[in-house]
Amino acid sequence: MSSVSVDGYMEGPGRSLAWHMVDDELHTHFNGVLRTAGAFISGRVGYELEARVWPGADADPESTGPMVEFARMWRQKPKYVFSRTLTGAGWNTTVVREVDPEHVQGLKERHGDLYLGGADLSGAFLRLGLVDEIRLYVHPVLVGGGRLLFPGGDGLRALDLVEQRVFGNGVALLRYAFPPGAEPGSGPGAGEGERAVP
């Protein structure tokens, strides 16, 4: 589940997210999706950003209704942060050192759907075949630089578009699923020297 600019960036220069167009309609939608998650998974940077905002956001008089709802959800949900350097974490969070497919499969069996964030961590999960679907929220802006959501590919992979929606602010949801048996290097044009961004 990732916000991305039309030119493929998840962060602008200086890690800026100021271009993210998250209004009440979109945040309410995010909450509805994330409410179904059994657990949240993130890398250290994403977790530390969240930990600066969400633990007390529901007590902030400037928080919107959807922000208050998400703050309470964030504290309650089990969270797993993948980091080799983080020494501890609060708010129902477990620190995990390595991406181990068997451990991740165990988390799926224990919690059900897992929602994953962070470019580096998502890339590792993709390479190991641990991602069932990709949810992109394409914001109608060109950022022009920063951090790409998919900085490098591991070969062509076919995807099926299973949901699309345009919100009132122009953000477009594109939800893709991996077809059964889809592996890196599969899909139209595979083996022809082409690279594609999923």
Side-chain angles (χ1 to χ4, degrees):
M1 183 168 184
S2 300
S3 285
V4 63
S5 65
V6 170
D7 51 350
Y9 291 94
M10 63 171 290
E11 295 175 347
R15 308 201 88 146
S16 172
L17 303 178
W19 52 272
H20 282 199
M21 299 167 59
V22 182
D23 58 11
D24 280 359
E25 179 195 18
L26 186 56
H27 205 155
T28 298
H29 165 82
F30 287 164
N31 289 351
V33 172
L34 293 170
R35 193 177 298 114
T36 68
F40 298 159
I41 294 181
S42 64
R44 178 187 57 80
V45 173
Y47 172 78
E48 289 179 339
L49 177 64
E50 294 170 356
R52 285 196 298 269
V53 175
W54 296 117
D58 54 335
D60 185 340
E62 295 187 9
S63 291
T64 64
M67 291 172 68
V68 168
E69 180 185 17
F70 182 74
R72 293 170 180 166
M73 186 190 318
W74 185 87
R75 284 198 307 266
Q76 294 168 0
K77 289 281 185 185
K79 291 172 286 297
Y80 295 87
V81 56
F82 284 75
S83 172
R84 294 187 181 98
T85 59
L86 194 65
T87 55
W91 304 289
N92 203 15
T93 304
T94 302
V95 177
V96 182
R97 296 298 180 205
E98 302 287 342
V99 179
D100 172 32
E102 289 186 10
H103 178 245
V104 173
Q105 186 57 42
L107 294 180
K108 287 183 178 182
E109 292 170 3
R110 178 179 177 186
H111 297 293
D113 287 341
L114 307 173
Y115 279 82
L116 170 67
D120 291 341
L121 190 60
S122 295
F125 273 60
L126 281 166
R127 284 189 294 277
L128 292 168
L130 298 173
V131 177
D132 300 320
E133 67 175 40
I134 296 174
R135 220 177 238 277
L136 299 178
Y137 293 87
V138 183
H139 294 244
V141 294
L142 297 172
V143 174
R147 182 166 187 170
L148 291 167
L149 179 60
F150 298 109
D154 293 303
L156 183 66
R157 295 190 72 177
L159 296 167
D160 292 332
L161 180 65
V162 295
E163 182 182 0
Q164 56 188 321
R165 174 180 173 182
V166 179
F167 296 88
N169 61 6
V171 172
L173 161 64
L174 300 172
R175 182 165 68 96
Y176 295 98
F178 289 99
E183 297 293 338
S186 67
E192 297 176 8
E194 300 179 8
R195 293 176 69 88
V197 175

